[in-house]
Amino acid sequence: MTPGLLVVVSGPAGVGKGSVVRKILEYAENIVLSVSATSRPPRVNEVDGVNYFFKTREEFEAMIKNNELLEWVEYCGNYYGTPKEWVCREVEKGHVVILEIEVDGAVNVRRLFPDCVLCFVLPPDYNELEKRLRGRGTETDESIKARLARAVEEFKLIDRYDYLILNDTVENAADRLLSIIKSERMKTSRNQSIIDKFKNINRSE
Ligand code: 5GP
């Protein structure tokens, strides 16, 4: 069985990482997306259990206390966290599990799983990021300002990532992400059982 792979996809709010990830889920069956828990209220069209598991702050704090989260952060005034049990089970099944999370969470995941793959999605430039964020029409002006300020902070941690993915178009960015996943799965360091099989061939004649 091909071993599972944990792939973290980060990038500033509005860069389009959600669209890129959704695109690659259409391409391949063995790639799954982790659904995070958050205390942020749902946006119009967001569905509980699909986009996020929406929790009250008290419910989220209980999840922290019960050790149900792989990692969690407070971002722009709300809690966000990755459910531990589901993610570990999917990796064990040999699936590629994508975590769409911000930079502090990514650094924590790397600490826990050193062989995870960290990808950072970049906009063509900063002005384009602001345009996309405003164009989304889902955020208040205050929230847009907080997210743009946060983006500047997030860019400072870019060199912690293994790969940069330019999101000029969603299709191009999804192709780039898929190429990374395919290459990572072919790494010798991730395929010890195949190596052993070929190293242990004994010709009897
Ligand atoms: P949004 O409110 O726009 O959906 O998400 C805000 C930020 O939180 C995004 O950068 C998103 O990737 C990140 N995020 C979503 N879920 C998680 C999570 O479980 N853990 C961490 N660390 N960040 C998350």
Side-chain angles (χ1 to χ4, degrees), residues 168-196:
D168 47 357
T169 71
V170 172
E171 288 72 21
N172 286 347
D175 281 344
R176 290 176 184 127
L177 178 55
L178 200 59
S179 306
I180 292 166
I181 291 172
K182 284 181 180 167
S183 304
E184 282 289 333
R185 294 204 102 183
M186 288 187 279
K187 272 191 167 170
T188 45
S189 58
R190 297 189 191 279
N191 288 284
Q192 194 56 47
S193 61
I194 296 178
I195 295 170
D196 291 344

PDB file of all heavy atoms in Angstrom, residues 168-196:
ATOM      1  N   ASP A 168      -2.030  31.985 -10.174  1.00  0.00           N
ATOM      2  CA  ASP A 168      -2.420  32.937 -11.227  1.00  0.00           C
ATOM      3  C   ASP A 168      -3.799  32.562 -11.743  1.00  0.00           C
ATOM      4  O   ASP A 168      -4.689  33.386 -11.847  1.00  0.00           O
ATOM      5  CB  ASP A 168      -1.364  32.998 -12.341  1.00  0.00           C
ATOM      6  CG  ASP A 168      -0.912  31.615 -12.798  1.00  0.00           C
ATOM      7  OD1 ASP A 168      -1.347  30.598 -12.233  1.00  0.00           O
ATOM      8  OD2 ASP A 168      -0.106  31.543 -13.745  1.00  0.00           O
ATOM      9  N   THR A 169      -3.981  31.261 -12.038  1.00  0.00           N
ATOM     10  CA  THR A 169      -5.343  30.768 -12.279  1.00  0.00           C
ATOM     11  C   THR A 169      -5.517  29.522 -11.415  1.00  0.00           C
ATOM     12  O   THR A 169      -4.528  28.853 -11.077  1.00  0.00           O
ATOM     13  CB  THR A 169      -5.587  30.364 -13.753  1.00  0.00           C
ATOM     14  OG1 THR A 169      -4.857  29.165 -14.017  1.00  0.00           O
ATOM     15  CG2 THR A 169      -5.191  31.465 -14.734  1.00  0.00           C
ATOM     16  N   VAL A 170      -6.782  29.234 -11.087  1.00  0.00           N
ATOM     17  CA  VAL A 170      -7.048  28.077 -10.209  1.00  0.00           C
ATOM     18  C   VAL A 170      -6.547  26.791 -10.871  1.00  0.00           C
ATOM     19  O   VAL A 170      -5.938  25.935 -10.206  1.00  0.00           O
ATOM     20  CB  VAL A 170      -8.564  27.985  -9.906  1.00  0.00           C
ATOM     21  CG1 VAL A 170      -8.888  26.696  -9.175  1.00  0.00           C
ATOM     22  CG2 VAL A 170      -9.002  29.168  -9.075  1.00  0.00           C
ATOM     23  N   GLU A 171      -6.752  26.672 -12.180  1.00  0.00           N
ATOM     24  CA  GLU A 171      -6.338  25.444 -12.886  1.00  0.00           C
ATOM     25  C   GLU A 171      -4.822  25.265 -12.807  1.00  0.00           C
ATOM     26  O   GLU A 171      -4.331  24.173 -12.511  1.00  0.00           O
ATOM     27  CB  GLU A 171      -6.763  25.474 -14.367  1.00  0.00           C
ATOM     28  CG  GLU A 171      -8.244  25.306 -14.611  1.00  0.00           C
ATOM     29  CD  GLU A 171      -9.059  26.541 -14.208  1.00  0.00           C
ATOM     30  OE1 GLU A 171      -8.471  27.647 -14.116  1.00  0.00           O
ATOM     31  OE2 GLU A 171     -10.269  26.382 -13.961  1.00  0.00           O
ATOM     32  N   ASN A 172      -4.071  26.349 -13.080  1.00  0.00           N
ATOM     33  CA  ASN A 172      -2.601  26.265 -13.019  1.00  0.00           C
ATOM     34  C   ASN A 172      -2.134  25.895 -11.615  1.00  0.00           C
ATOM     35  O   ASN A 172      -1.265  25.035 -11.434  1.00  0.00           O
ATOM     36  CB  ASN A 172      -1.956  27.606 -13.381  1.00  0.00           C
ATOM     37  CG  ASN A 172      -2.027  27.890 -14.860  1.00  0.00           C
ATOM     38  OD1 ASN A 172      -2.330  26.993 -15.654  1.00  0.00           O
ATOM     39  ND2 ASN A 172      -1.775  29.134 -15.233  1.00  0.00           N
ATOM     40  N   ALA A 173      -2.728  26.561 -10.621  1.00  0.00           N
ATOM     41  CA  ALA A 173      -2.301  26.315  -9.237  1.00  0.00           C
ATOM     42  C   ALA A 173      -2.643  24.882  -8.817  1.00  0.00           C
ATOM     43  O   ALA A 173      -1.849  24.223  -8.144  1.00  0.00           O
ATOM     44  CB  ALA A 173      -2.960  27.328  -8.307  1.00  0.00           C
ATOM     45  N   ALA A 174      -3.805  24.392  -9.253  1.00  0.00           N
ATOM     46  CA  ALA A 174      -4.197  23.014  -8.898  1.00  0.00           C
ATOM     47  C   ALA A 174      -3.235  22.025  -9.563  1.00  0.00           C
ATOM     48  O   ALA A 174      -2.842  21.028  -8.941  1.00  0.00           O
ATOM     49  CB  ALA A 174      -5.637  22.751  -9.330  1.00  0.00           C
ATOM     50  N   ASP A 175      -2.834  22.292 -10.810  1.00  0.00           N
ATOM     51  CA  ASP A 175      -1.856  21.419 -11.483  1.00  0.00           C
ATOM     52  C   ASP A 175      -0.540  21.404 -10.714  1.00  0.00           C
ATOM     53  O   ASP A 175       0.092  20.355 -10.547  1.00  0.00           O
ATOM     54  CB  ASP A 175      -1.566  21.918 -12.910  1.00  0.00           C
ATOM     55  CG  ASP A 175      -2.679  21.520 -13.861  1.00  0.00           C
ATOM     56  OD1 ASP A 175      -3.485  20.642 -13.500  1.00  0.00           O
ATOM     57  OD2 ASP A 175      -2.754  22.105 -14.952  1.00  0.00           O
ATOM     58  N   ARG A 176      -0.142  22.587 -10.245  1.00  0.00           N
ATOM     59  CA  ARG A 176       1.131  22.663  -9.491  1.00  0.00           C
ATOM     60  C   ARG A 176       1.028  21.847  -8.205  1.00  0.00           C
ATOM     61  O   ARG A 176       1.935  21.091  -7.874  1.00  0.00           O
ATOM     62  CB  ARG A 176       1.457  24.133  -9.161  1.00  0.00           C
ATOM     63  CG  ARG A 176       1.845  24.921 -10.393  1.00  0.00           C
ATOM     64  CD  ARG A 176       2.072  26.408 -10.130  1.00  0.00           C
ATOM     65  NE  ARG A 176       2.348  27.052 -11.407  1.00  0.00           N
ATOM     66  CZ  ARG A 176       1.712  28.105 -11.892  1.00  0.00           C
ATOM     67  NH1 ARG A 176       0.776  28.711 -11.181  1.00  0.00           N
ATOM     68  NH2 ARG A 176       2.021  28.590 -13.073  1.00  0.00           N
ATOM     69  N   LEU A 177      -0.068  21.998  -7.502  1.00  0.00           N
ATOM     70  CA  LEU A 177      -0.229  21.255  -6.243  1.00  0.00           C
ATOM     71  C   LEU A 177      -0.260  19.751  -6.495  1.00  0.00           C
ATOM     72  O   LEU A 177       0.367  18.969  -5.766  1.00  0.00           O
ATOM     73  CB  LEU A 177      -1.509  21.714  -5.524  1.00  0.00           C
ATOM     74  CG  LEU A 177      -1.864  21.019  -4.215  1.00  0.00           C
ATOM     75  CD1 LEU A 177      -0.712  21.084  -3.203  1.00  0.00           C
ATOM     76  CD2 LEU A 177      -3.121  21.634  -3.591  1.00  0.00           C
ATOM     77  N   LEU A 178      -0.951  19.353  -7.544  1.00  0.00           N
ATOM     78  CA  LEU A 178      -1.029  17.927  -7.845  1.00  0.00           C
ATOM     79  C   LEU A 178       0.346  17.360  -8.222  1.00  0.00           C
ATOM     80  O   LEU A 178       0.697  16.240  -7.822  1.00  0.00           O
ATOM     81  CB  LEU A 178      -2.037  17.699  -8.983  1.00  0.00           C
ATOM     82  CG  LEU A 178      -2.579  16.289  -9.106  1.00  0.00           C
ATOM     83  CD1 LEU A 178      -3.287  15.853  -7.827  1.00  0.00           C
ATOM     84  CD2 LEU A 178      -3.549  16.191 -10.290  1.00  0.00           C
ATOM     85  N   SER A 179       1.145  18.147  -8.949  1.00  0.00           N
ATOM     86  CA  SER A 179       2.506  17.693  -9.298  1.00  0.00           C
ATOM     87  C   SER A 179       3.341  17.486  -8.038  1.00  0.00           C
ATOM     88  O   SER A 179       4.101  16.518  -7.932  1.00  0.00           O
ATOM     89  CB  SER A 179       3.253  18.729 -10.144  1.00  0.00           C
ATOM     90  OG  SER A 179       2.510  19.063 -11.242  1.00  0.00           O
ATOM     91  N   ILE A 180       3.180  18.392  -7.090  1.00  0.00           N
ATOM     92  CA  ILE A 180       3.934  18.262  -5.829  1.00  0.00           C
ATOM     93  C   ILE A 180       3.544  16.962  -5.134  1.00  0.00           C
ATOM     94  O   ILE A 180       4.398  16.183  -4.698  1.00  0.00           O
ATOM     95  CB  ILE A 180       3.641  19.478  -4.908  1.00  0.00           C
ATOM     96  CG1 ILE A 180       4.216  20.748  -5.505  1.00  0.00           C
ATOM     97  CG2 ILE A 180       4.187  19.237  -3.503  1.00  0.00           C
ATOM     98  CD1 ILE A 180       3.700  22.032  -4.848  1.00  0.00           C
ATOM     99  N   ILE A 181       2.235  16.717  -5.033  1.00  0.00           N
ATOM    100  CA  ILE A 181       1.753  15.515  -4.335  1.00  0.00           C
ATOM    101  C   ILE A 181       2.270  14.257  -5.031  1.00  0.00           C
ATOM    102  O   ILE A 181       2.775  13.335  -4.379  1.00  0.00           O
ATOM    103  CB  ILE A 181       0.209  15.524  -4.259  1.00  0.00           C
ATOM    104  CG1 ILE A 181      -0.242  16.639  -3.316  1.00  0.00           C
ATOM    105  CG2 ILE A 181      -0.330  14.173  -3.804  1.00  0.00           C
ATOM    106  CD1 ILE A 181      -1.754  16.882  -3.289  1.00  0.00           C
ATOM    107  N   LYS A 182       2.176  14.243  -6.373  1.00  0.00           N
ATOM    108  CA  LYS A 182       2.636  13.048  -7.100  1.00  0.00           C
ATOM    109  C   LYS A 182       4.123  12.816  -6.864  1.00  0.00           C
ATOM    110  O   LYS A 182       4.553  11.692  -6.613  1.00  0.00           O
ATOM    111  CB  LYS A 182       2.378  13.224  -8.603  1.00  0.00           C
ATOM    112  CG  LYS A 182       0.927  13.039  -8.985  1.00  0.00           C
ATOM    113  CD  LYS A 182       0.784  13.197 -10.474  1.00  0.00           C
ATOM    114  CE  LYS A 182      -0.649  13.014 -10.926  1.00  0.00           C
ATOM    115  NZ  LYS A 182      -0.849  13.451 -12.307  1.00  0.00           N
ATOM    116  N   SER A 183       4.923  13.873  -6.917  1.00  0.00           N
ATOM    117  CA  SER A 183       6.380  13.718  -6.730  1.00  0.00           C
ATOM    118  C   SER A 183       6.694  13.269  -5.305  1.00  0.00           C
ATOM    119  O   SER A 183       7.527  12.384  -5.096  1.00  0.00           O
ATOM    120  CB  SER A 183       7.111  15.030  -6.993  1.00  0.00           C
ATOM    121  OG  SER A 183       6.796  15.481  -8.265  1.00  0.00           O
ATOM    122  N   GLU A 184       6.021  13.886  -4.334  1.00  0.00           N
ATOM    123  CA  GLU A 184       6.288  13.523  -2.941  1.00  0.00           C
ATOM    124  C   GLU A 184       5.991  12.048  -2.697  1.00  0.00           C
ATOM    125  O   GLU A 184       6.704  11.376  -1.962  1.00  0.00           O
ATOM    126  CB  GLU A 184       5.449  14.399  -1.994  1.00  0.00           C
ATOM    127  CG  GLU A 184       6.007  15.799  -1.806  1.00  0.00           C
ATOM    128  CD  GLU A 184       7.296  15.837  -0.990  1.00  0.00           C
ATOM    129  OE1 GLU A 184       7.500  14.945  -0.163  1.00  0.00           O
ATOM    130  OE2 GLU A 184       8.089  16.776  -1.196  1.00  0.00           O
ATOM    131  N   ARG A 185       4.933  11.545  -3.340  1.00  0.00           N
ATOM    132  CA  ARG A 185       4.571  10.131  -3.120  1.00  0.00           C
ATOM    133  C   ARG A 185       5.593   9.179  -3.741  1.00  0.00           C
ATOM    134  O   ARG A 185       5.669   8.021  -3.372  1.00  0.00           O
ATOM    135  CB  ARG A 185       3.181   9.842  -3.700  1.00  0.00           C
ATOM    136  CG  ARG A 185       2.092  10.580  -2.957  1.00  0.00           C
ATOM    137  CD  ARG A 185       0.760   9.918  -3.105  1.00  0.00           C
ATOM    138  NE  ARG A 185       0.430   9.166  -1.921  1.00  0.00           N
ATOM    139  CZ  ARG A 185      -0.656   8.425  -1.766  1.00  0.00           C
ATOM    140  NH1 ARG A 185      -1.521   8.333  -2.741  1.00  0.00           N
ATOM    141  NH2 ARG A 185      -0.885   7.770  -0.657  1.00  0.00           N
ATOM    142  N   MET A 186       6.371   9.673  -4.718  1.00  0.00           N
ATOM    143  CA  MET A 186       7.369   8.815  -5.371  1.00  0.00           C
ATOM    144  C   MET A 186       8.732   8.862  -4.684  1.00  0.00           C
ATOM    145  O   MET A 186       9.664   8.184  -5.104  1.00  0.00           O
ATOM    146  CB  MET A 186       7.523   9.232  -6.835  1.00  0.00           C
ATOM    147  CG  MET A 186       6.326   8.845  -7.681  1.00  0.00           C
ATOM    148  SD  MET A 186       6.608   9.156  -9.425  1.00  0.00           S
ATOM    149  CE  MET A 186       6.275  10.897  -9.534  1.00  0.00           C
ATOM    150  N   LYS A 187       8.865   9.674  -3.645  1.00  0.00           N
ATOM    151  CA  LYS A 187      10.170   9.801  -2.978  1.00  0.00           C
ATOM    152  C   LYS A 187      10.619   8.465  -2.403  1.00  0.00           C
ATOM    153  O   LYS A 187       9.804   7.757  -1.791  1.00  0.00           O
ATOM    154  CB  LYS A 187      10.069  10.824  -1.846  1.00  0.00           C
ATOM    155  CG  LYS A 187      10.339  12.226  -2.295  1.00  0.00           C
ATOM    156  CD  LYS A 187      10.485  13.110  -1.087  1.00  0.00           C
ATOM    157  CE  LYS A 187      11.060  14.447  -1.486  1.00  0.00           C
ATOM    158  NZ  LYS A 187      11.001  15.393  -0.377  1.00  0.00           N
ATOM    159  N   THR A 188      11.890   8.166  -2.548  1.00  0.00           N
ATOM    160  CA  THR A 188      12.412   6.908  -1.989  1.00  0.00           C
ATOM    161  C   THR A 188      12.158   6.851  -0.478  1.00  0.00           C
ATOM    162  O   THR A 188      11.782   5.813   0.062  1.00  0.00           O
ATOM    163  CB  THR A 188      13.920   6.763  -2.249  1.00  0.00           C
ATOM    164  OG1 THR A 188      14.539   7.989  -1.946  1.00  0.00           O
ATOM    165  CG2 THR A 188      14.222   6.382  -3.683  1.00  0.00           C
ATOM    166  N   SER A 189      12.320   7.983   0.190  1.00  0.00           N
ATOM    167  CA  SER A 189      12.167   7.982   1.658  1.00  0.00           C
ATOM    168  C   SER A 189      10.746   7.650   2.098  1.00  0.00           C
ATOM    169  O   SER A 189      10.520   7.343   3.265  1.00  0.00           O
ATOM    170  CB  SER A 189      12.570   9.349   2.218  1.00  0.00           C
ATOM    171  OG  SER A 189      11.773  10.351   1.628  1.00  0.00           O
ATOM    172  N   ARG A 190       9.791   7.716   1.198  1.00  0.00           N
ATOM    173  CA  ARG A 190       8.397   7.388   1.565  1.00  0.00           C
ATOM    174  C   ARG A 190       8.003   5.988   1.105  1.00  0.00           C
ATOM    175  O   ARG A 190       6.856   5.598   1.214  1.00  0.00           O
ATOM    176  CB  ARG A 190       7.428   8.389   0.914  1.00  0.00           C
ATOM    177  CG  ARG A 190       7.605   9.809   1.367  1.00  0.00           C
ATOM    178  CD  ARG A 190       6.485  10.680   0.857  1.00  0.00           C
ATOM    179  NE  ARG A 190       6.772  12.077   1.071  1.00  0.00           N
ATOM    180  CZ  ARG A 190       6.595  12.720   2.223  1.00  0.00           C
ATOM    181  NH1 ARG A 190       6.122  12.069   3.266  1.00  0.00           N
ATOM    182  NH2 ARG A 190       6.893  14.002   2.340  1.00  0.00           N
ATOM    183  N   ASN A 191       8.942   5.256   0.519  1.00  0.00           N
ATOM    184  CA  ASN A 191       8.577   3.967  -0.072  1.00  0.00           C
ATOM    185  C   ASN A 191       9.520   2.851   0.354  1.00  0.00           C
ATOM    186  O   ASN A 191      10.005   2.083  -0.482  1.00  0.00           O
ATOM    187  CB  ASN A 191       8.557   4.114  -1.607  1.00  0.00           C
ATOM    188  CG  ASN A 191       7.362   4.938  -2.065  1.00  0.00           C
ATOM    189  OD1 ASN A 191       6.233   4.440  -2.086  1.00  0.00           O
ATOM    190  ND2 ASN A 191       7.603   6.183  -2.408  1.00  0.00           N
ATOM    191  N   GLN A 192       9.757   2.750   1.656  1.00  0.00           N
ATOM    192  CA  GLN A 192      10.705   1.767   2.163  1.00  0.00           C
ATOM    193  C   GLN A 192      10.296   0.333   1.813  1.00  0.00           C
ATOM    194  O   GLN A 192      11.149  -0.498   1.501  1.00  0.00           O
ATOM    195  CB  GLN A 192      10.857   1.920   3.685  1.00  0.00           C
ATOM    196  CG  GLN A 192      12.040   1.189   4.276  1.00  0.00           C
ATOM    197  CD  GLN A 192      13.372   1.587   3.634  1.00  0.00           C
ATOM    198  OE1 GLN A 192      13.658   2.763   3.456  1.00  0.00           O
ATOM    199  NE2 GLN A 192      14.159   0.591   3.246  1.00  0.00           N
ATOM    200  N   SER A 193       8.996   0.042   1.811  1.00  0.00           N
ATOM    201  CA  SER A 193       8.575  -1.340   1.554  1.00  0.00           C
ATOM    202  C   SER A 193       8.912  -1.754   0.110  1.00  0.00           C
ATOM    203  O   SER A 193       9.288  -2.897  -0.148  1.00  0.00           O
ATOM    204  CB  SER A 193       7.091  -1.526   1.844  1.00  0.00           C
ATOM    205  OG  SER A 193       6.344  -0.697   1.004  1.00  0.00           O
ATOM    206  N   ILE A 194       8.799  -0.816  -0.826  1.00  0.00           N
ATOM    207  CA  ILE A 194       9.146  -1.133  -2.226  1.00  0.00           C
ATOM    208  C   ILE A 194      10.659  -1.346  -2.336  1.00  0.00           C
ATOM    209  O   ILE A 194      11.138  -2.284  -2.987  1.00  0.00           O
ATOM    210  CB  ILE A 194       8.690   0.007  -3.171  1.00  0.00           C
ATOM    211  CG1 ILE A 194       7.161   0.108  -3.138  1.00  0.00           C
ATOM    212  CG2 ILE A 194       9.190  -0.226  -4.602  1.00  0.00           C
ATOM    213  CD1 ILE A 194       6.590   1.221  -3.975  1.00  0.00           C
ATOM    214  N   ILE A 195      11.399  -0.492  -1.658  1.00  0.00           N
ATOM    215  CA  ILE A 195      12.864  -0.620  -1.679  1.00  0.00           C
ATOM    216  C   ILE A 195      13.266  -1.996  -1.144  1.00  0.00           C
ATOM    217  O   ILE A 195      14.060  -2.722  -1.761  1.00  0.00           O
ATOM    218  CB  ILE A 195      13.522   0.500  -0.833  1.00  0.00           C
ATOM    219  CG1 ILE A 195      13.232   1.855  -1.477  1.00  0.00           C
ATOM    220  CG2 ILE A 195      15.021   0.276  -0.674  1.00  0.00           C
ATOM    221  CD1 ILE A 195      13.609   3.045  -0.616  1.00  0.00           C
ATOM    222  N   ASP A 196      12.671  -2.373  -0.001  1.00  0.00           N
ATOM    223  CA  ASP A 196      13.002  -3.667   0.617  1.00  0.00           C
ATOM    224  C   ASP A 196      12.689  -4.814  -0.340  1.00  0.00           C
ATOM    225  O   ASP A 196      13.477  -5.742  -0.487  1.00  0.00           O
ATOM    226  CB  ASP A 196      12.211  -3.860   1.916  1.00  0.00           C
ATOM    227  CG  ASP A 196      12.681  -2.891   2.993  1.00  0.00           C
ATOM    228  OD1 ASP A 196      13.771  -2.318   2.819  1.00  0.00           O
ATOM    229  OD2 ASP A 196      11.938  -2.706   3.977  1.00  0.00           O
TER     230      ASP A 196
END
